Amino acid sequence: MALKTRLIRLLSAPRLREIDRFMKHPAQVQQRQLRRLLDRAAPTLFGTEHGFHAIRTAEQFASRVPVTDYDGFTPYIERMRRGEADVCWPGEVRWFAKSSGTTSAKSKFIPVSREGLRGCHMRGPLDIVCLTGSLWPDTDVFSGKTLTLGGSRRLETTGGRAQEGDLSAILIENTPRLAGRMRVPKPETALIPDFEKKVEAICRETVGQNVTAFAGVPSWNLVMLRKVLEFTGKSNLLEVWPRLELFTHGGMNFKPYREQYRQLIPSDRMKYMETYNASEGFFAIQNDPASDDLLLMLDYGVYYEFLPVRDLDDPSRAVPLEGVAKGINYAMIITTCNGLWRYQIGDTVEFTSLAPYKIRITGRTRHYINAFGEEVIVDNAETALKAACDATGARISDYTAGPVYMNGRSKGSHQWVVEFDTPPDDAERFTDTLDRALQSVNSDYEAKRFKDTTLMRPTLTVVPPGTFYRWMKSRGKAGGQNKVPRLFNDRTYIDQLTADERSNDPK
């Protein structure tokens, strides 16, 4: 066992006992989190408006505080952004993580308090270190550096003392110096706004260093790693970084990318650890290499509630952690030490274990197709695409899908716009397998497809390599934590993508 690994395992022992404690006593830990949040925020504007001082139970909390989303919380956030103190959390909120917008705003500004920064956002990476040392005692990953590919929005002061930018920029600004020495690239490189220029700078800076791990969103990291091979002329990444052995990833389903990473990093020692972190907080970590399920982290200053997706119009059906069941698609509601109260984050999850509580991310509350009552979610799409790829030898780089509306006597269908890394050996078989697989995992889709009752066979539109990157770049969303919208309930994204390709067609 390497010396650094032995030291980290020794230092991690108390934290591992805490993790074991919340795994064994989840309800008690969550009730304690709620009590602390209410006590801390009772004197704030939000706390006084909702009578926090008189709340004694989770039921009282749910009855006094409404479930809301970003649009509903915006008035409070705007007051915090202007520098007003004690709005939703004690004191001034100094940072706001800028992320993708809503239907009414181009960008969201998610509050990040000092407690949230230290107790949630930065606690997740520390627990990754603890769990890595525990899961793989023989690892040598701590002997080198971690290459992190984050966002590009530098922190900007927009009034008062508050600063706004990508969450990664906030973390870089506040990373302890010792931890900063264990990561690459340099902050000034990491925050280069232009994604292509940033990747080129990363290549120049890191190819000669001892990189043993990297972290980020799978799709954007794939672009960067291929650029590294192009820059060095090597055939795989082990020729560049021989001791590479860990990829910590999140932000999207890794299954469509797994084989591509295996080809880039042909090593039995390579390990993959999924995380669930967002601008709103750090929520879950994969703690078992044999399973893709994520352990819900229950002591990060976050109190969780879950609303069945079928009941999205009735927030009173939300339940605390001890009220969930396996196999139900839930919208996640969080109350956090960042000053968010019963906030519907927009992600959907399904519980795969109740002892301990483990989840898998199934999609977004707004990223689905239900134009004809089929209720196709991202998890359905990922499962079906994997089946189609396995059947035809294909590998997908990116995709999105949406409805084709009924027109006159024609019935509806779905259009899948796909960019392949390796094309299928038979596009028709790919489409048929996709269709059958969707029917096997979604009974509503199956019913609509039965004898073409409502839905016709889906159509496949293959776009050239680089299409999705050009589209994301044209929208100012290249790199970082920006994600391609996989499903959408209208044709907005499909029409944009196909229009962009027509405009780029030399014919």
Side-chain angles (χ1 to χ4, degrees):
M1 185 185 299
L3 178 61
K4 285 188 177 180
T5 303
R6 187 180 297 114
L7 178 61
I8 284 173
R9 283 172 59 86
L10 180 64
L11 295 174
S12 298
R15 176 55 187 158
L16 292 173
R17 287 194 291 270
E18 292 177 350
I19 292 174
D20 185 65
R21 189 177 304 121
F22 77 63
M23 291 170 65
K24 292 178 178 177
H25 307 285
Q28 294 93 320
V29 170
Q30 274 288 278
Q31 290 303 314
R32 190 159 55 246
Q33 295 291 306
L34 177 59
R35 183 73 265 153
R36 289 175 178 172
L37 292 165
L38 290 169
D39 288 345
R40 285 282 286 129
T44 66
L45 171 68
F46 194 91
T48 55
E49 285 181 351
H50 294 86
F52 281 8
H53 68 283
I55 295 177
R56 296 291 179 265
T57 66
E59 291 77 16
Q60 291 175 339
F61 175 64
S63 67
R64 294 193 179 203
V65 181
V67 173
T68 189
D69 57 12
Y70 185 83
D71 290 335
F73 218 74
T74 296
Y76 295 102
I77 290 176
E78 288 305 307
R79 293 178 72 162
M80 288 188 278
R81 288 179 68 199
R82 291 195 294 267
E84 186 174 339
D86 303 321
V87 177
C88 295
W89 193 251
E92 288 186 41
V93 174
R94 297 288 303 277
W95 303 283
F96 292 85
K98 192 174 182 180
S99 66
S100 299
T102 67
T103 54
S104 61
K106 182 179 179 180
S107 298
K108 294 188 293 186
F109 297 90
I110 306 300
V112 179
S113 68
R114 288 189 180 277
E115 289 92 334
L117 182 66
R118 300 294 177 184
C120 185
H121 287 292
M122 299 183 79
R123 198 170 185 184
L126 290 175
D127 278 351
I128 290 173
V129 172
C130 294
L131 290 169
T132 298
S134 174
L135 292 171
W136 298 291
D138 296 329
T139 183
D140 197 31
V141 71
F142 304 116
S143 67
K145 297 186 177 183
T146 298
L147 196 170
T148 303
L149 181 65
S152 302
R153 295 191 185 100
R154 296 173 179 269
L155 292 183
E156 299 176 349
T157 301
T158 59
R161 295 191 298 170
Q163 292 183 304
E164 300 167 351
D166 277 345
L167 176 63
S168 56
I170 296 172
L171 296 175
I172 288 171
E173 287 281 332
N174 291 279
T175 297
R177 185 173 299 178
L178 178 60
R181 292 174 180 170
M182 302 306 297
R183 58 189 291 178
V184 289
K186 298 178 293 186
E188 52 267 34
T189 301
L191 296 175
I192 292 175
D194 186 286
F195 180 71
E196 293 177 352
K197 292 180 180 177
K198 174 161 66 176
V199 169
E200 291 175 2
I202 287 174
C203 290
R204 293 192 299 269
E205 182 179 334
T206 64
V207 294
Q209 300 201 49
N210 178 27
V211 173
T212 56
F214 60 104
V217 177
S219 59
W220 296 117
N221 270 270
L222 199 59
V223 174
M224 177 192 70
L225 296 176
R226 286 173 172 163
K227 187 67 176 179
V228 167
L229 295 181
E230 180 184 323
F231 180 83
T232 59
K234 304 297 185 181
S235 59
N236 68 67
L237 290 169
L238 296 177
E239 296 177 3
V240 183
W241 299 307
R243 301 172 79 174
L244 185 64
E245 61 170 286
L246 176 66
F247 178 28
T248 305
H249 59 88
M252 60 176 56
N253 191 329
F254 186 57
K255 289 179 182 178
Y257 299 94
R258 190 180 297 275
E259 183 57 34
Q260 297 176 65
Y261 275 91
R262 284 176 178 163
Q263 293 194 8
L264 287 175
I265 314 166
S267 169
D268 293 336
R269 297 187 68 234
M270 189 65 193
K271 308 165 186 68
Y272 299 91
M273 180 183 284
E274 184 172 357
T275 65
Y276 175 19
N277 60 312
S279 299
E280 292 85 354
F282 203 114
F283 305 122
I285 303 174
Q286 181 184 359
N287 71 327
D288 181 358
S291 169
D292 292 333
D293 302 334
L294 305 178
L295 177 68
L296 198 62
M297 307 305 287
L298 302 181
D299 60 352
Y300 280 11
V302 180
Y303 175 71
Y304 295 98
E305 296 173 88
F306 300 89
L307 176 63
V309 170
R310 62 175 179 265
D311 298 322
L312 278 179
D313 294 333
D314 184 8
S316 68
R317 304 299 296 272
V319 296
L321 188 63
E322 57 267 31
V324 302
K326 293 196 293 185
I328 296 176
N329 201 30
Y330 290 103
M332 196 161 78
I333 298 167
I334 58 172
T335 292
T336 80
C337 54
N338 287 310
L340 297 173
W341 299 93
R342 303 200 80 204
Y343 181 90
Q344 188 170 305
I345 190 174
D347 291 335
T348 59
V349 302
E350 178 183 324
F351 282 86
T352 58
S353 168
L354 304 183
Y357 285 98
K358 290 190 176 185
I359 60 173
R360 61 188 182 95
I361 303 166
T362 55
R364 298 277 295 171
T365 55
R366 295 183 179 180
H367 287 184
Y368 58 88
I369 308 176
N370 193 33
F372 311 101
E374 65 274 45
E375 297 189 26
V376 173
I377 61 175
V378 173
D379 186 62
N380 300 155
E382 301 284 3
T383 300
L385 285 169
K386 183 180 186 303
C389 286
D390 290 345
T392 61
R395 291 207 309 264
I396 290 174
S397 175
D398 266 310
Y399 77 91
T400 193
V404 177
Y405 296 118
M406 298 177 179
N407 183 17
R409 294 185 177 181
S410 66
K411 297 177 181 178
S413 65
H414 292 173
Q415 181 178 2
W416 294 75
V417 180
V418 181
E419 180 181 323
F420 287 102
D421 184 62
T422 300
D425 54 25
D426 186 327
E428 293 300 309
R429 186 152 58 96
F430 180 94
T431 306
D432 286 335
T433 306
L434 172 68
D435 185 32
R436 289 194 300 270
L438 278 174
Q439 294 183 53
S440 71
V441 298
N442 185 312
S443 58
D444 290 317
Y445 180 84
E446 181 184 32
K448 302 301 183 293
R449 282 286 294 120
F450 181 68
K451 295 184 177 180
D452 297 338
T453 304
T454 304
L455 284 175
M456 300 295 290
R457 177 177 180 269
T459 58
L460 175 67
T461 301
V462 180
V463 294
T467 297
F468 278 83
Y469 175 75
R470 288 191 296 271
W471 178 60
M472 292 291 282
K473 186 176 181 180
S474 70
R475 300 167 67 223
K477 294 183 178 296
Q481 295 180 326
N482 296 301
K483 298 178 282 290
V484 171
R486 297 307 192 190
L487 304 177
F488 207 60
N489 206 35
D490 63 40
R491 294 189 54 80
T492 301
Y493 298 134
I494 286 181
D495 288 343
Q496 288 177 4
L497 270 161
T498 53
D500 287 346
E501 278 314 295
R502 287 194 297 271
S503 66
N504 288 317
D505 190 339
K507 295 179 181 180

